[in-house]
């Protein structure tokens, strides 16, 4: 695994658990609002954390941490992700996986092998706006549909989430998504935050009023609605 960072303690990244968060390098998307842009477009200059140092830290903190959040970038682009998660599990840690949902077969396999204890899947937009949201000219949206359906089966605890951006999202996006993920236990709307590490620095957040309106479409469709 190519690791690009380690947040040694987090009380927020893994719902209900004390965890550390490890960042994998690289992604197959180019979301203009990505807040970890350097892990996506500036690979040569991104920092590195060796697997040896990472696992040494986990061994050292076994009695203090409950879990590990594996995020990116996109962790599932790495061919050795299964082995990496297995090593974490073998140390007795719970694993939370953050993913963009573009690798449904890998996701299904990891769930089947009990290598994920929680999955957070980013749904970037509704189908019509997906290419704009992921910064690509072509993508097979059916992969997102398949990943949504895999999680909706409920074989692993999960949440869906969307980073809300004024130039990308509309009411129609969230009305459509509310129906598509009906029955999900949790949906998070995360307000876009501009920073030096964002890919497109000309984007803007929605207002709190707009985000609360978007959230209202999910009432009665999902269990818990979280606004960040």
């Amino acid at each position: 695994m190519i690791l690009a960072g380690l947040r040694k303690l987090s009380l927020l990244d893994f719902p209900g658990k004390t965890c550390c968060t490890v960042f994998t390098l690289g992604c197959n998307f180019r979301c203009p609002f990505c807040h970890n842009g350097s892990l996506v477009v500036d690979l040569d200059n991104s920092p590195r954390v060796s697997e040896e140092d990472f696992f040494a830290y986990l061994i050292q903190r076994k009695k203090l941490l409950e879990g590990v959040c594996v995020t990116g970038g996109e962790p599932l682009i790495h061919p050795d992700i299964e082995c990496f998660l297995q090593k974490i599990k073998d140390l007795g840690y719970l694993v939370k996986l953050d993913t963009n949902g573009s690798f449904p077969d890998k996701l299904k396999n990891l769930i089947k092998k009990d290598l994920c204890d929680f999955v957070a899947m980013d749904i970037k937009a509704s189908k019509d706006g997906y290419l704009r949201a992921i910064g690509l000219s072509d993508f097979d949206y059916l992969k997102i549909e398949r990943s949504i359906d895999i999680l909706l089966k409920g074989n692993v605890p999960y949440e869906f989430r969307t980073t809300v951006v004024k130039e990308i999202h509309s009411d129609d996006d969230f009305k459509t998504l509310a129906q598509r993920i009906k029955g999900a236990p949790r949906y998070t709307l995360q307000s876009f935050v501009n920073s030096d590490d964002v890919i497109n620095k000309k984007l803007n957040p929605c207002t709190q009023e707009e985000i609360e309106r978007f959230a209202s479409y999910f009432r009665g469709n999902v269990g818990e609605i979280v606004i960040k």
Side-chain angles (χ1 to χ4, degrees), residues 2 36 43-44 48 83 103 130 134 137 196 198 210:
I2 305 176
N36 289 328
L43 307 188
D44 292 339
R48 297 288 192 277
C83 180
F103 297 93
Y130 228 79
I134 63 176
S137 60
D196 290 339
V198 170
E210 288 172 320

Side-chain angles (χ1 to χ4, degrees), residues 144-167:
I144 303 300
E145 296 276 16
R146 289 177 58 203
S147 290
I148 291 173
D149 288 335
I150 287 167
L151 293 179
L152 284 173
K153 289 179 180 179
N155 293 325
V156 65
Y158 68 95
E159 71 170 350
F160 296 117
R161 59 192 188 184
T162 302
T163 298
V164 186
V165 185
K166 183 175 287 292
E167 289 82 0

Side-chain angles (χ1 to χ4, degrees), residues 19-79:
C19 74
C20 68
T21 300
V22 63
F23 297 84
T24 64
L25 186 67
C27 186
N28 56 322
F29 286 175
R30 294 294 181 270
C31 305
F33 50 85
C34 179
H35 62 277
N36 289 328
S38 60
L39 302 184
V40 176
V41 299
D42 193 17
L43 307 188
D44 292 339
N45 294 316
S46 293
R48 297 288 192 277
V49 176
S50 72
E51 273 200 47
E52 181 180 359
D53 287 345
F54 169 66
F55 283 108
Y57 177 77
L58 292 188
I59 292 170
Q60 184 183 14
R61 292 294 188 268
K62 281 187 72 171
K63 295 183 179 180
L64 300 175
L65 298 176
E66 299 172 272
V68 177
C69 174
V70 182
T71 189
E74 170 53 47
L76 299 191
I77 67 172
H78 296 275

Side-chain angles (χ1 to χ4, degrees), residues 28 36 55 80 128 138-139 189 192 206 211 215 228:
N28 56 322
N36 289 328
F55 283 108
D80 50 347
D128 290 343
D138 186 48
F139 176 72
L189 295 98
F192 168 72
C206 290
I211 294 176
K228 291 185 177 180

Side-chain angles (χ1 to χ4, degrees), residues 43-191:
L43 307 188
D44 292 339
N45 294 316
S46 293
R48 297 288 192 277
V49 176
S50 72
E51 273 200 47
E52 181 180 359
D53 287 345
F54 169 66
F55 283 108
Y57 177 77
L58 292 188
I59 292 170
Q60 184 183 14
R61 292 294 188 268
K62 281 187 72 171
K63 295 183 179 180
L64 300 175
L65 298 176
E66 299 172 272
V68 177
C69 174
V70 182
T71 189
E74 170 53 47
L76 299 191
I77 67 172
H78 296 275
D80 50 347
I81 183 65
E82 181 178 327
C83 180
F84 182 70
L85 297 186
Q86 185 66 64
K87 289 179 182 178
I88 296 173
K89 295 286 287 184
D90 288 345
L91 289 175
Y93 286 96
L94 300 172
V95 171
K96 180 201 174 208
L97 174 69
D98 290 352
T99 182
N100 62 26
S102 61
F103 297 93
D105 292 333
K106 282 189 175 183
L107 177 62
K108 183 177 181 180
N109 184 58
L110 294 174
I111 294 171
K112 182 179 180 181
K113 294 186 175 181
D114 294 323
L115 294 178
C116 302
D117 300 285
F118 193 96
V119 175
M121 176 179 160
D122 287 302
I123 303 180
K124 307 297 184 178
S126 63
K127 180 180 179 180
D128 290 343
Y130 228 79
L131 291 178
R132 181 174 70 254
I134 63 176
L136 300 179
S137 60
D138 186 48
F139 176 72
D140 182 6
Y141 180 77
L142 286 178
K143 293 179 180 179
I144 303 300
E145 296 276 16
R146 289 177 58 203
S147 290
I148 291 173
D149 288 335
I150 287 167
L151 293 179
L152 284 173
K153 289 179 180 179
N155 293 325
V156 65
Y158 68 95
E159 71 170 350
F160 296 117
R161 59 192 188 184
T162 302
T163 298
V164 186
V165 185
K166 183 175 287 292
E167 289 82 0
I168 291 176
H169 298 107
S170 68
D171 287 82
D172 287 343
D173 283 296
F174 295 102
K175 289 177 181 178
T176 300
L177 284 177
Q179 295 301 314
R180 181 63 184 87
I181 66 170
K182 191 171 184 177
R186 176 179 165 116
Y187 178 65
T188 296
L189 295 98
Q190 178 175 289
S191 180

